[in-house]
Amino acid sequence: MSQPLLRGVDRAAFAASLTAKLRAGGVAVGLTATEDLTRALAASLPTSPSRLYWVARVTLVRRQSELAAFDAVFAAVFDDAVIAIGRANRTPQRPPDASPGDALMPVPRANQDEADGAGLPWVTLPSVVALPDDPSATDADQAVPLRVVSELEALSRLPFEQLSEAQTQLLGRWLEQQLAGWPTRRTRRRRPGPGGREVALRPTIARSRRTGWDPVELVRVRPVRKPRRVVVLCDVSQSMQPQVTPYVHLMRALVLGVGGEAFAFATSLTRLTTVLRHRSAVVAVEQATAQVSDRYGGTRIAASVQALLASHHAEAVRGGVVVIGSDGWDSEPPQDLARAMARLRRRAYRVVWINPRAAAPGFEPLVGTMAAALPYCDDLLAADTFDSLAAVVAELGSLSSRA
């Protein structure tokens, strides 16, 4: 029987010494790995250099790229030992996988002397490399393209009245994407489904008929989650003309993404939910514009809110989030709007008023109707740019996710 190689040797001191040499040789060895080597030597002392090699390699090496450095250090420490490691046991070293942005190309070096190790074998490039127009330019003159802001970032602070038709359509597509992942809330209803904590007695007993009335398979139920209802009322009067089209895009995004109800009002209330469901945003906006016959006229906010509460669509307001997009300029007495808003607030879960003039520095709701409606609003948000509309969408999403 062969004798152990390290008989009488302090195993902890040996492991710490070997770890220090490996670290100096470029192998990242942690304290846990050193402890593993000590425990492995305590469990079974190796009887040959080959066994010692494999014990140290298994416990100390964590990365394939460090095998070469480990072999070099091990051979330097046990120079006189004969390590029986076959070529088949060596795993060929592979270069790291290249990412999509990597490319092989020559890199000009500042120092042409190869002895000092200057230069790099590869370089990571951006997706596009702009070459100079000068045909005599060398590789050293290559320029890395500068990153520019996206089209959305460039429009983020541009007022709605300065947007072109194409930019407004871009706003509509962006709103549809933002509302695609609308949060849901837990309802009181339950339906059978995996992962539920409660057992549904009736379907469980019904299934037990197949097993001689022995309830082998338990049917569990879980709460039903669905988005909170959203009702949007958009002011399409003369004073809101620059904001009408972006607000219509917001209504369409809420109708498509959340299943909300959309209404436009000037002197009367017009339901736009059906026409805004059209697949084409351009056609939907055109049909909505054609359907509102009193657009760009006067404003009767109180009468419009009362018309909504008196219609058969008033049930959509109950427990939902009501969004009113208007600058608050009304031709009716403020007391009428206060009474209508009080009724609306009692039915709705939250009332959010978005006002394009609220973004102005020093804005105060001094208009009589706006001041009368404000006590019945949970939030007054500005909505005159991309950024402000993004804040409105984020606020509506947070309100919808609350139980």
Side-chain angles (χ1 to χ4, degrees):
M1 182 176 180
S2 58
Q3 298 296 327
L5 289 179
L6 304 177
R7 185 176 60 179
V9 175
D10 189 333
R11 294 185 295 272
F14 170 78
S17 177
L18 181 59
T19 298
K21 290 185 177 298
L22 289 173
R23 288 174 178 170
V27 182
V29 182
L31 295 178
T32 304
T34 307
E35 182 183 2
D36 293 342
L37 176 60
T38 306
R39 292 179 180 274
L41 295 177
S44 177
L45 281 176
T47 56
S48 65
S50 176
R51 290 179 180 273
L52 176 62
Y53 169 84
W54 284 110
V55 170
R57 173 171 164 171
V58 170
T59 55
L60 298 181
V61 180
R62 295 288 187 269
R63 299 180 181 86
Q64 188 180 17
S65 59
E66 297 175 345
L67 287 178
F70 173 81
D71 291 346
V73 174
F74 192 88
V77 174
F78 305 95
D79 193 18
D80 298 332
V82 178
I83 302 176
I85 303 176
R87 180 175 298 178
N89 294 331
R90 306 276 186 165
T91 303
Q93 303 296 316
R94 297 188 308 170
D97 297 334
S99 61
D102 291 346
L104 296 175
M105 62 172 294
V107 178
R109 295 176 301 179
N111 190 349
Q112 298 298 327
D113 187 5
E114 298 181 356
D116 62 353
L120 296 174
W122 57 272
V123 63
T124 301
L125 296 177
S127 57
V128 178
V129 176
L131 294 176
D133 297 334
D134 186 5
S136 61
T138 62
D139 293 342
D141 298 328
Q142 291 181 356
V144 178
L146 297 177
R147 294 185 181 275
V148 297
V149 297
S150 65
E151 190 174 2
L152 283 176
E153 291 289 340
L155 301 175
S156 61
R157 298 183 180 179
L158 199 64
F160 288 151
E161 53 266 27
Q162 300 181 17
L163 295 180
S164 64
E165 184 177 355
Q167 292 170 343
T168 306
Q169 295 177 5
L170 176 63
L171 169 65
R173 293 193 296 271
W174 175 80
L175 286 172
E176 291 183 39
Q177 297 173 358
Q178 293 297 313
L179 296 177
W182 190 259
T184 59
R185 66 184 182 90
R186 188 179 63 180
T187 64
R188 295 181 179 179
R189 293 188 177 182
R190 287 172 169 74
R191 66 176 53 166
R197 296 182 179 180
E198 301 180 8
V199 177
L201 295 180
R202 181 168 295 180
T204 300
I205 293 175
R207 292 194 181 187
S208 65
R209 297 175 181 174
R210 309 170 187 172
T211 56
W213 301 105
D214 189 4
V216 176
E217 183 180 359
L218 299 179
V219 180
R220 299 184 179 277
V221 293
R222 57 183 174 83
V224 176
R225 300 189 66 87
K226 66 178 184 180
R228 187 179 292 278
R229 284 178 293 190
V230 178
V231 180
V232 191
L233 293 90
C234 177
D235 187 350
V236 294
S237 61
Q238 179 66 33
S239 59
M240 288 286 294
Q241 185 172 358
Q243 289 81 27
V244 167
T245 304
Y247 281 19
V248 170
H249 280 290
L250 173 63
M251 289 195 295
R252 180 174 180 270
L254 290 173
V255 169
L256 296 179
V258 191
E261 287 283 348
F263 300 89
F265 67 89
T267 57
S268 61
L269 188 70
T270 305
R271 183 170 182 259
L272 300 179
T273 305
T274 304
V275 296
L276 291 180
R277 288 175 182 162
H278 198 282
R279 182 175 300 178
S280 171
V282 177
V283 176
V285 173
E286 290 178 354
Q287 292 182 356
T289 304
Q291 190 159 345
V292 182
S293 58
D294 59 341
R295 65 184 184 278
Y296 308 148
T299 311
R300 297 182 63 194
I301 305 178
S304 301
V305 174
Q306 291 173 355
L308 171 63
L309 297 178
S311 67
H312 63 277
H313 300 293
E315 189 61 25
V317 177
R318 193 178 302 279
V321 177
V322 179
V323 182
I324 301 177
S326 174
D327 53 6
W329 291 2
D330 195 1
S331 58
E332 297 177 317
Q335 297 80 2
D336 294 349
L337 182 59
R339 285 193 292 270
M341 290 298 296
R343 290 185 59 195
L344 182 70
R345 182 64 189 87
R346 286 194 294 269
R347 293 193 183 187
Y349 172 69
R350 289 288 190 276
V351 177
V352 180
W353 195 297
I354 57 176
N355 190 335
R357 306 187 188 282
F363 169 79
E364 293 183 7
L366 300 179
V367 180
T369 49
M370 189 72 246
L374 198 57
Y376 305 99
C377 297
D378 296 282
D379 295 292
L380 174 62
L381 304 175
D384 64 330
T385 60
F386 262 78
D387 280 349
S388 58
L389 206 57
V392 171
V393 172
E395 179 64 21
L396 295 180
S398 65
L399 293 177
S400 179
S401 60
R402 297 175 189 172

